[in-house]
Amino acid sequence: MSGIIRKLVSNGSSLAFGCSGKTDAVSDFDALVQALKDALGPSSGLTSDDVDVEHLIRLMREYDNNEKGWARYAMGDESRGYTRNLVDEGNGKSNLLVLVWTPGKGSPIHDHGNAHCLMKILRGNLTETRYAFPDAEGGKAEPMRVTSERTLEENGVVYMADELGVHRVWNRGSDFAVSLHLYTPPNVAKGGCNIFDPETSKKSHIKKCGNYSAFGKKL
């Protein structure tokens, strides 16, 4: 990613980039968007028999990351932990979003509404902490149990789903970080998700996880 000059817009609404180097970067990102849509076209989500999960992961990994391709979606707001910027709705079968993470902030501990998530780091590093799913029947107030923590580096791809637990994502860096997320089915956008108190494991339902922008336009 050498030769890229980065500039953060001071109004807190978007990130702007001046890029040099490859001239086909925009079409590469658009091709990824279309390839993911095509892969999910005949299915209802990653659990469907006609979807190759490894193929989706491979598409994300092989995307030749360049800011010129996705910069128009990368709208940040330093007053928030992160912003959700809708790129594509995948024929109703998925949501593809660019998330912009404010330095020193991140997400609460959350589930994924019985959906599946693929995440590729586009810029910077992010810290992911995973937790065991709280015992819904026990009702005992106790700290969430950490099962793993790792730093996700630029261009890394990870998979997450509720059967693997719950997690939080945090930007511990001093600059904005950016990641690409594929959610399928788009349950969280329609019905929200659950967040969890790290000290008590208490669950709260967020009715809807709204978008900051859609298709390159701030909402």
Side-chain angles (χ1 to χ4, degrees), residues 37 40-41 43-45 88-95 183-187 190:
K37 183 185 294 188
L40 288 168
S43 75
S44 59
D88 188 76
E89 294 181 311
N91 298 322
K93 306 293 178 64
S94 65
N95 276 337
Y183 300 100
T184 182
N187 295 342
K190 295 178 179 180

Side-chain angles (χ1 to χ4, degrees), residues 6-64:
R6 300 181 176 93
K7 180 181 178 183
L8 178 62
V9 175
S10 60
N11 63 11
S13 63
S14 65
L15 299 173
F17 304 89
C19 301
S20 62
K22 288 186 280 185
T23 59
D24 59 350
V26 173
S27 62
D28 285 349
F29 184 77
D30 291 343
L32 171 65
V33 174
Q34 187 61 49
L36 292 170
K37 183 185 294 188
D38 291 345
L40 288 168
S43 75
S44 59
L46 286 178
T47 56
S48 298
D49 293 338
D50 58 348
V51 170
D52 184 346
V53 176
E54 292 301 320
H55 176 59
L56 293 175
I57 294 173
R58 187 165 56 250
L59 289 173
M60 295 279 271
R61 284 178 176 163
E62 292 180 352
Y63 162 57
D64 194 3

Side-chain angles (χ1 to χ4, degrees), residues 140-186:
K140 183 179 179 181
E142 57 186 3
M144 298 283 290
R145 181 170 63 85
V146 175
T147 59
S148 68
E149 184 170 280
R150 57 180 168 174
T151 298
L152 308 175
E153 298 182 346
E154 196 165 298
N155 290 314
V157 176
V158 295
Y159 170 77
M160 186 58 178
D162 286 351
E163 59 262 30
L164 301 177
V166 294
H167 76 167
R168 71 180 302 185
V169 178
W170 200 265
N171 179 8
R172 291 179 174 172
S174 59
D175 199 358
F176 283 85
V178 183
S179 54
L180 180 68
H181 295 243
L182 175 69
Y183 300 100
T184 182

Side-chain angles (χ1 to χ4, degrees), residues 111-126:
D111 65 16
H112 290 85
N114 294 317
H116 303 260
C117 173
L118 287 168
M119 176 171 63
K120 181 182 178 82
I121 311 303
L122 299 177
R123 180 176 188 243
N125 297 329
L126 292 169

Side-chain angles (χ1 to χ4, degrees), residues 76-94:
D77 185 335
E78 60 187 4
S79 70
R80 307 182 183 207
Y82 64 97
T83 57
R84 293 165 47 94
N85 301 284
L86 181 65
V87 175
D88 188 76
E89 294 181 311
N91 298 322
K93 306 293 178 64
S94 65

Side-chain angles (χ1 to χ4, degrees), residues 66-77:
N66 190 298
E67 291 174 351
K68 188 176 180 181
W70 47 261
R72 63 190 183 275
Y73 303 108
M75 299 186 188
D77 185 335

